[in-house]
């Protein structure tokens, strides 16, 4: 007779050769003939039905991506990232065609967003938006090739390239080893043709460069300088570009179906056990909403007098707590949905009621957080950190709206892709609007309106902000531009393929109206406009 079920299996009794509570064949005491459990067994359901072999076009495109990476990326990021991505796309497309795959609507959408994100380094210079856009573009490209609808399919596909880098190299190596001698002989004419073309270009390029100075400048900008000290870095970039292109091609040849990854549903809790904590949390959120209504209707002065805070301090402190509340609520909703009672229609109605109410109340929290941060920005100016958290908080609000809509619709199968799409659009919008440009424009407009500016908010911006900061008068301009001018002089101009549009504009402006660096007048100008030398950065 079977005993009661426990957390780790049937309670009581011994399996064949096993320990108490062990199922047959489980644990270290397996029955004879029972195979040992295989590692990563949970991956098996997602294995591709077939994996197309690597083709010569795929390998050549990957080698081209590696060569472009070693040639162009050594000097920085710009249009070169798009050129390397184009070579990798050709290889992935050839691999997908060999596997008989055709693009779908979501594939085109993810690919288009990835392309838009890769345009950010070509437009702007700020480090954080460029890094965020590049990482998001790689994740969306991986999602485009994998596909996916469920949460597991979408979330596991985003970093899917990471565990395809080494298998992609092995996949291409097997294809090269398996090629017949006759197939290899077809490569020899191509190699000979490339070598002859290189020799001809070197000879005639040198002659044209000697005949015309403009042609010499063009060729000099196209041909990278060879520095023996850069060889290790260039070799590493070649390997990275090659592995990345082959990784994408390996996915396109037969992606792992992450949607098939088994996910055990959470054990449904009793109605009272589940609903009581959520009801209490809803009451607390409701009390906060009522308090915010009181503050909006005129009770703010009394609260500030009782707390002893200024309006700016109250807004700044409250925002961070409310941001944490928003994130934690998202976690609570996810866990509550997993353990929600679902046996009857009344249970499902209760789940929709309590979780829907919590999401609605959270939208008020999001609105309060955004209002407080905007009040703080209006009082103290905008910074890149404040702009970033405003974007994140706004995106979290969109996620809660999607959760509410999903609770009102018969099926929520669209929710995972919609949530990732909203995140991708937020990242693309954040990168393409130029965060440093936005920060500079807000602070300069505030200065033109009120005559007040906190130069600490703008001195550490990138070259993206130079056209806007150039509007400041006299010492304000000198102080604001001294650091970026010094950095541009120190770094020197980069080749065209590694120079953003913003950097080109900044260099043109500073060449026309030079600004002293921080050691030859910039710090003195900051002193004259009353900026403290305490450069501690505030969020």
């Amino acid at each position: 007779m079977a005993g009661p079920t426990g957390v780790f299996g049937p309670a009581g009794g011994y399996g064949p050769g096993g320990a108490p509570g062990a199922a047959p064949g489980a644990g270290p005491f397996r029955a004879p003939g029972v195979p040992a459990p295989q590692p990563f067994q949970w991956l098996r359901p997602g294995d591709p039905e077939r994996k197309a072999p690597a083709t010569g076009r795929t390998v050549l495109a990957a080698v081209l991506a590696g060569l472009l990476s070693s040639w162009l990326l050594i000097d920085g990021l710009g249009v070169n990232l798009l050129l390397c991505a184009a070579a990798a796309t050709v290889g992935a497309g050839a691999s997908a065609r060999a596997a008989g795959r055709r693009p779908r609507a979501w594939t085109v959408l993810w690919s288009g967003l990835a392309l838009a994100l890769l345009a950010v380094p070509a437009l702007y210079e700020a480090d954080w938006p460029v890094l965020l856009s590049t990482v998001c573009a790689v994740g969306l490209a991986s999602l485009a090739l994998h596909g996916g609808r469920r949460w597991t399919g979408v979330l596991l596909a985003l970093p899917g390239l990471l565990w395809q880098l080494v298998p992609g190299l092995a996949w291409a190596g097997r294809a090269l080893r398996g090629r017949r001698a006759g197939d290899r002989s077809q490569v020899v004419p191509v190699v000979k043709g490339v070598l002859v073309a290189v020799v001809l270009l070197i000879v005639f390029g040198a002659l044209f460069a000697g005949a015309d100075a403009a042609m010499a400048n063009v060729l000099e900008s196209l041909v990278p300088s060879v520095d023996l000290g850069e060889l290790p870095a260039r070799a590493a970039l070649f390997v990275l570009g090659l592995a990345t292109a082959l990784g994408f091609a390996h996915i396109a040849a037969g992606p792992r179906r992450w949607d098939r990854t088994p996910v055990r549903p959470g054990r449904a809790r009793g109605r009272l056990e589940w609903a009581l904590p959520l009801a209490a949390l809803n009451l607390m959120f409701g009390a906060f909403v009522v308090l915010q209504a009181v503050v909006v209707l005129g009770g703010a002065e009394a609260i500030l007098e009782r707390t002893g805070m200024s309006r700016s301090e109250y807004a700044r402190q409250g925002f961070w707590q409310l941001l944490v509340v928003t994130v934690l609520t998202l976690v609570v909703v996810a866990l509550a949905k997993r353990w929600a009672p679902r046996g009857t229609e009344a249970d499902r109605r209760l789940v929709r009621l309590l979780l829907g109410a919590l999401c609605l109340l959270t939208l008020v929290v999001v609105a309060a957080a955004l209002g407080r941060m905007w009040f703080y920005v209006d009082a103290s100016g905008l910074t890149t950190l404040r702009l970033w958290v405003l974007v994140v908080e706004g995106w979290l609000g969109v996620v809660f709206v999607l959760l509410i809509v999903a609770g009102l619709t018969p099926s929520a199968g669209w929710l995972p892709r919609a949530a990732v799409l909203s995140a991708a659009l937020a990242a693309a919008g954040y990168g393409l609007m130029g965060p440093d440009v936005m920060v500079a424009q807000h602070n300069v407009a505030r200065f033109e309106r009120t005559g007040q500016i906190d130069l600490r908010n703008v001195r550490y911006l990138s070259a993206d902000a130079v056209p806007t900061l150039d509007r400041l008068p006299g010492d304000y301009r000198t102080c604001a531009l001294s650091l970026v001018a010094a950095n541009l002089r120190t770094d020197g101009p980069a080749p065209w393929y590694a120079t953003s549009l913003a950097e080109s504009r900044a260099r043109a402006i500073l060449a026309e109206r030079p600004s002293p660096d921080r050691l030859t007048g910039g710090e003195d100008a900051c002193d004259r406009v009353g900026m403290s030398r305490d450069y501690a950065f505030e969020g």
Side-chain angles (χ1 to χ4, degrees), residues 95-441:
S95 181
R97 180 175 298 181
R101 300 182 64 195
R102 296 292 181 268
R104 299 181 179 180
W106 278 100
T107 304
V108 175
L109 178 60
W110 298 132
S111 301
L113 283 173
L115 183 64
L117 286 164
L118 287 179
V120 173
L123 298 175
Y124 300 108
E125 193 69 18
D127 293 335
W128 168 239
V130 167
L131 175 62
L132 176 67
S133 300
T134 304
V135 172
C136 290
V138 173
L140 289 178
S142 177
L143 178 58
L145 293 173
H146 276 101
R149 298 185 177 186
R150 298 173 55 204
W151 285 110
T152 52
V154 171
L155 296 181
L156 292 177
L158 287 171
L161 174 68
L162 296 179
W163 37 82
Q164 296 293 338
L165 297 177
V166 175
L169 292 171
W171 171 70
R174 288 194 300 270
L176 293 177
R177 288 194 301 269
R179 295 182 71 88
R180 299 186 302 272
D183 295 331
R184 294 176 184 174
S185 64
Q186 298 176 2
V187 179
V188 175
V190 176
V191 174
K192 289 182 178 179
V194 170
L195 292 177
V196 172
V198 169
V199 172
L200 291 176
L201 289 175
I202 291 175
V203 173
F204 285 93
L207 293 174
F208 280 123
D212 186 81
M215 188 66 177
N217 290 332
V218 171
L219 293 177
E220 184 179 355
S221 64
L222 292 175
V223 179
S225 59
V226 179
D227 185 355
L228 294 180
E230 294 179 349
L231 287 181
R234 291 187 183 274
L237 287 173
F238 172 79
V239 173
L240 178 63
L242 177 69
T244 301
L246 288 176
F248 280 130
H250 191 236
I251 297 172
R256 180 173 294 279
R257 301 299 181 183
W258 292 110
D259 277 343
R260 301 173 185 171
T261 305
V263 178
R264 292 187 301 176
R267 183 172 66 88
R269 306 292 175 172
R271 186 180 298 182
L272 183 61
E273 176 188 3
W274 180 88
L276 185 60
L278 280 182
L281 190 59
N282 273 306
L283 289 176
M284 177 174 287
F285 273 62
F288 176 81
V289 170
V290 171
L291 181 61
Q292 294 306 297
V294 172
V295 171
V296 171
L297 293 176
E301 297 299 334
I303 294 176
L304 294 175
E305 183 179 351
R306 186 165 58 250
T307 59
M309 293 182 178
S310 67
R311 284 181 174 269
S312 180
E313 291 172 341
Y314 180 69
R316 181 174 184 267
Q317 181 187 25
F319 171 81
W320 298 107
Q321 281 84 347
L322 295 181
L323 178 61
V324 173
V325 166
T326 307
V327 175
L328 288 181
T329 305
L330 194 60
V331 176
V332 168
V333 170
L335 296 178
K337 186 70 173 69
R338 177 174 174 80
W339 293 326
R342 46 187 176 268
T344 64
E345 181 59 31
D347 288 335
R348 292 187 286 273
R349 191 180 303 114
L350 178 65
V351 171
R352 288 194 296 269
L353 176 63
L354 290 179
L355 291 184
L358 184 59
C359 290
L360 281 173
L361 293 171
T362 305
L363 286 180
V364 180
V365 174
V366 171
L370 292 174
R372 291 193 184 199
M373 176 53 75
W374 191 250
F375 181 84
Y376 181 52
V377 166
D378 187 61
S380 304
L382 187 63
T383 66
T384 52
L385 176 59
R386 294 168 197 168
L387 179 60
W388 167 243
V389 295
L390 278 171
V391 171
V392 171
E393 184 72 14
W395 171 70
L396 289 173
V398 172
V399 171
F400 278 101
V401 171
L402 293 175
L403 290 175
I404 293 172
V405 175
L408 298 175
T409 54
S411 174
W414 52 268
L415 182 59
R417 288 189 291 192
V420 174
L421 177 61
S422 67
L425 290 174
Y430 174 77
L432 292 174
M433 72 180 177
D436 285 17
V437 177
M438 296 288 292
V439 171
Q441 288 177 345

Side-chain angles (χ1 to χ4, degrees), residues 455-530:
L455 290 170
R456 292 176 299 176
N457 294 345
V458 297
R459 287 197 79 211
Y460 297 94
L461 297 179
S462 66
D464 303 344
V466 169
T468 303
L469 298 180
D470 187 55
R471 289 158 40 191
L472 292 171
D475 287 336
Y476 288 96
R477 176 186 182 275
T478 300
C479 178
L481 292 179
S482 59
L483 292 180
V484 65
N487 291 335
L488 289 177
R489 278 193 291 266
T490 302
D491 295 340
W496 64 271
Y497 48 80
T499 302
S500 65
L501 180 61
E503 182 182 340
S504 299
R505 289 176 177 173
R507 289 188 181 277
I509 291 173
L510 292 174
E512 182 180 352
R513 297 180 59 195
S515 178
D517 61 31
R518 61 184 302 176
L519 299 178
T520 60
E523 302 297 349
D524 293 337
C526 291
D527 290 338
R528 286 194 294 271
V529 296

